[in-house]
Amino acid sequence: MAEITELERVKLHQHKVKQVFSEVGKVVVGQSYMINRLLIGLFTNGHILLEGVPGLAKTLTVNTLAKVLHLDFQRIQFTPDLLPADLVGTMIYNQKLGNFEVKKGPIFANLILADEINRSPAKVQSALLEAMQEKQVTIGETTFYLDKPFLVLATQNPVEQEGTYPLPEAQVDRFMMKVHINYLDKADELEVMRRMSNMSFTGEVSTVLDKADIFSIKEEINRVSISETLEKYIIELVFATRRPLEYGLREEAAYIQFGVSPRASISLNLAAKAIAFFNERDYVLPEDIKEVAHDVLSHRLILNYEAEADGIVASQIIDVILKKVAISR
């Protein structure tokens, strides 16, 4: 059998990505936007922060996606009494052998769902974020590298804030994107009700991609080209949050305390490449950048108290920036 060409391999992987959406859709209804963002994170090594009220199938989506991608999945419920050792693991004493052994924690998986991350103390949040950044954990005196791919999907409940420990801005910045999950429309909710009320519904899915495919797709996304014009456009968008007056954003400048960090420009570049790849292109369009701009920028833009008092949110300012910042030819 003749070996397929590089172009044929890319086309095959792009087709398989579409199959992932179809396969997950056998179980999860109406969450293609969330699945899209989770795949962007997986293929570009970027962790995702999900925000939405309970019952929007966040856990079900991640669990189903792990099955379709043949990856190990762990869900960790963050609570006020959770300890770092409950996350990364600890040393336990073996009485028979008379020595200490390492007991690895749930962090040793490919997909981690950190449910309600803001319910745990800062020490636990820091342990998770260290693993996200370094891709390794230390137990006792031994350092263990985490299996690849490694993706953390953390959730926050925007409604209940009592008894929570909000993530500091510097930690939120480590998430590539913050994705807001909304309620389904009537037709999708009707389908969900029918499926989940049917006790014979099993939710079986088939594996579409394996680890080798995932690593290949990462390389293929990395080779997606982005013009110098669009690279500069990304920088202009980022600098508009830092120096709004230079971009004619007088009203918005009054509400911005700190602009976005350099991680924003990196994440915008990578996410736009992933969008282009999903759309079966080997080059980035301006629309690709705009499509992910809110998810990448909004949680990194820090507003002041005046914005809160006037009911202004980051997404509104991002909207204005996208309208006013032009692409230089």
Side-chain angles (χ1 to χ4, degrees):
M1 184 177 176
E3 190 172 333
I4 64 173
T5 65
E6 184 62 33
L7 179 59
E8 289 172 333
R9 185 178 290 107
V10 170
K11 292 295 182 185
L12 176 62
H13 284 147
Q14 288 170 334
H15 176 68
K16 283 188 172 183
V17 168
K18 292 185 184 300
Q19 284 185 296
V20 170
F21 283 91
S22 300
E23 204 64 29
V24 176
K26 291 179 180 179
V27 178
V28 181
V29 178
Q31 294 293 5
S32 57
Y33 168 73
M34 175 166 48
I35 298 165
N36 178 284
R37 295 322 191 238
L38 297 183
L39 289 176
I40 289 175
L42 178 67
F43 294 140
T44 60
N45 299 320
H47 306 287
I48 309 295
L49 184 61
L50 301 170
E51 185 168 280
V53 297
L56 297 182
K58 296 185 290 291
T59 303
L60 179 64
T61 302
V62 179
N63 194 6
T64 306
L65 188 62
K67 291 177 183 176
V68 173
L69 301 177
H70 196 58
L71 297 174
D72 294 328
F73 167 71
Q74 286 284 356
R75 175 185 174 274
I76 307 167
Q77 179 63 54
F78 278 60
T79 56
D81 60 348
L82 197 71
L83 299 174
D86 298 328
L87 187 69
V88 301
T90 187
M91 303 288 290
I92 59 172
Y93 185 71
N94 187 322
Q95 289 185 327
K96 289 184 179 180
L97 300 177
N99 60 6
F100 284 92
E101 294 179 346
V102 172
K103 182 183 179 184
K104 292 182 178 180
I107 197 75
F108 289 90
N110 300 119
L111 290 183
I112 304 292
L113 180 64
D115 221 351
E116 295 191 288
I117 186 174
N118 54 334
R119 291 216 172 272
S120 64
K123 280 187 177 181
V124 180
Q125 294 176 4
S126 297
L128 175 67
L129 291 160
E130 181 183 359
M132 288 165 50
Q133 188 72 15
E134 306 297 333
K135 304 292 192 298
Q136 65 182 39
V137 296
T138 302
I139 304 174
E141 296 180 354
T142 308
T143 298
F144 297 90
Y145 292 95
L146 298 170
D147 193 19
K148 295 180 181 179
F150 177 69
L151 178 65
V152 171
L153 311 163
T155 71
Q156 288 190 138
N157 181 350
V159 179
E160 291 183 49
Q161 297 301 325
E162 187 176 344
T164 61
Y165 303 80
L167 290 171
E169 285 81 1
Q171 293 184 0
V172 172
D173 184 48
R174 293 178 185 272
F175 288 95
M176 180 184 190
M177 292 188 286
K178 183 177 182 179
V179 181
H180 294 272
I181 312 301
N182 296 316
Y183 286 114
L184 301 174
D185 60 28
K186 291 179 181 179
D188 286 337
E189 184 130 358
L190 178 62
E191 179 61 24
V192 168
M193 182 183 69
R194 286 172 175 167
R195 284 190 192 182
M196 297 307 169
S197 300
N198 181 0
M199 289 190 286
S200 61
F201 176 71
T202 58
E204 292 296 323
V205 292
S206 302
T207 300
V208 175
L209 297 173
D210 57 23
K211 287 185 180 180
D213 289 322
I214 292 170
F215 296 137
S216 294
I217 290 172
K218 286 186 177 187
E219 289 299 320
E220 289 157 9
I221 288 175
N222 192 46
R223 289 196 294 270
V224 170
S225 65
I226 178 169
S227 67
E228 185 177 350
T229 298
L230 291 183
E231 286 179 331
K232 289 180 178 178
Y233 175 57
I234 288 174
I235 299 302
E236 294 296 326
L237 291 176
V238 167
F239 270 72
T241 69
R242 300 174 190 168
R243 303 173 184 173
L245 291 175
E246 293 181 15
Y247 294 82
L249 302 168
R250 292 192 173 277
E251 291 183 19
E252 290 70 28
Y255 296 124
I256 297 174
Q257 185 172 3
F258 295 107
V260 301
S261 75
R263 286 194 182 101
S265 53
I266 298 167
S267 297
L268 262 181
N269 187 308
L270 289 170
K273 285 183 177 182
I275 290 290
F277 181 84
F278 292 169
N279 290 322
E280 300 186 3
R281 281 184 275 103
D282 62 356
Y283 56 91
V284 174
L285 294 175
E287 290 73 22
D288 301 326
I289 297 169
K290 292 175 182 178
E291 182 175 336
V292 293
H294 281 88
D295 299 317
V296 171
L297 300 177
S298 293
H299 65 292
R300 292 183 164 95
L301 186 61
I302 302 173
L303 305 184
N304 54 29
Y305 289 111
E306 287 183 44
E308 187 176 350
D310 291 348
I312 300 297
V313 294
S315 60
Q316 293 172 286
I317 293 178
I318 302 300
D319 280 334
V320 177
I321 289 173
L322 290 172
K323 287 178 183 177
K324 288 203 172 184
V325 176
I327 300 173
S328 302
R329 297 295 178 185

